[in-house]
Amino acid sequence: MTQLRVMSYNIHHANPPSKKGMIELETIANVIRKESVDLVALQEVDVNIARSGNVNQAKALAELLGMHYYFAKAIDFGGGEYGVAILSRFPLSDTRKVPLPEEAEPKAEDRVVALATVQLPGGQRILFGSTHLDVLSSDNRLQQVQTINNIAEAQEGPFILAGDFNDYPDSPAITALDGVFQRTCQTNCEPTFPQDNPDRIIDYIVFSRTFNLKVLSQHVMPESYASDHRPVVAVLELPAAPASR
């Protein structure tokens, strides 16, 4: 059996909400480091944007943490790129970005899902994804989830997805997600937003139902400074890979 520690974290481009204009990548790295995670799905990541010092935040965090990374641009912003990223303790391959639909509200900000194959010790591979769904339109979010569900249904191995879904557990989008994925927390889940006095569950870690993953634990970190979201952490157990014949 393989155990994986997974985090989802909307990092607010490393700007602590209480310090307008300040960028503290080291603080974000310390939050992630505290949990000794294997895989991280990041949202609101700046790459070479003036407001955050023209730094590739995905690369910088990977270097600070000694991890592999993949960044997927959602939009051009401030002279650089803004989007989602993956950090991994294990090598990544077949990295790709899938644009998500926004037909219901075409003026909405473009959204994507970042995907990477993770090579686990012992030869097992999984698909890992990071996403950040539309904030404006519930119909857009539902379409975006349907696109992600289609990706999961085409997968031959386990698919773990994490991100800021901008929607509540009983919403149409998350209900549709539940048809294909299992959330790591089902009942009495802790809220994730806003960071100082959280009252909403909008950040999730999920995995495809067709593979027999087991949730060993999940918690929301009581971190109220570094970003406007609190990080979610889950420990998952993967079944042993089938022996090759």
Side-chain angles (χ1 to χ4, degrees):
M1 298 285 184
T2 300
Q3 287 187 14
L4 284 176
R5 291 182 68 86
V6 181
M7 175 185 284
S8 184
Y9 198 11
N10 180 325
I11 65 168
H12 195 248
H13 64 275
N15 164 232
S18 62
K19 293 197 173 174
K20 191 173 172 66
M22 290 288 290
I23 301 297
E24 296 189 16
L25 265 183
E26 284 272 8
T27 302
I28 295 291
N30 285 336
V31 171
I32 297 169
R33 192 179 287 118
K34 254 181 223 170
E35 289 289 335
S36 303
V37 286
D38 301 306
L39 296 167
V40 189
L42 299 174
Q43 302 83 47
E44 297 197 11
V45 180
D46 279 4
V47 169
N48 303 325
I49 294 177
R51 70 176 176 186
S52 50
N54 297 304
V55 169
N56 181 332
Q57 292 191 330
K59 181 172 186 266
L61 284 170
E63 288 173 351
L64 285 167
L65 294 162
M67 298 176 90
H68 303 272
Y69 80 97
Y70 170 59
F71 170 78
K73 179 186 84 169
I75 59 169
D76 294 312
F77 184 87
E81 302 178 340
Y82 176 73
V84 297
I86 288 168
L87 301 177
S88 172
R89 255 192 343 114
F90 311 115
L92 301 174
S93 62
D94 304 321
T95 54
R96 62 191 170 108
K97 172 178 86 174
V98 178
L100 296 175
E102 51 196 42
E103 289 153 25
E105 179 54 72
K107 291 181 181 174
E109 183 180 290
D110 292 347
R111 302 289 170 143
V112 301
V113 56
L115 299 169
T117 298
V118 183
Q119 180 76 52
L120 299 177
Q124 204 168 1
R125 294 178 177 215
I126 63 162
L127 184 67
F128 185 63
S130 173
T131 197
H132 187 187
L133 300 191
D134 183 30
V135 69
L136 290 179
S137 161
S138 61
D139 288 337
N140 273 358
R141 289 192 291 275
L142 180 56
Q143 289 175 359
Q144 290 167 356
V145 162
Q146 287 163 344
T147 297
I148 290 167
N149 283 351
N150 291 341
I151 294 167
E153 286 169 336
Q155 269 305 112
E156 293 182 356
F159 179 13
I160 299 170
L161 173 72
D164 175 359
F165 287 76
N166 269 319
D167 226 332
Y168 304 124
D170 59 354
S171 65
I174 302 304
T175 301
L177 189 77
D178 286 345
V180 174
F181 290 89
Q182 181 178 321
R183 284 177 276 139
T184 53
C185 183
Q186 306 282 331
T187 54
N188 301 318
C189 308
E190 300 166 89
T192 61
F193 179 87
Q195 87 293 350
D196 51 351
N197 189 19
D199 59 8
R200 278 159 273 183
I201 300 168
I202 58 174
D203 302 89
Y204 304 90
I205 299 168
V206 301
F207 54 90
S208 48
R209 288 184 176 275
T210 43
F211 298 90
N212 193 26
L213 275 63
K214 185 176 174 187
V215 183
L216 300 182
S217 67
Q218 182 198 279
H219 67 279
V220 175
M221 288 181 72
E223 164 53 54
S224 59
Y225 172 76
S227 172
D228 60 345
H229 288 242
R230 292 190 175 193
V232 184
V233 179
V235 181
L236 300 174
E237 186 174 82
L238 278 69
S244 53
R245 294 176 181 272

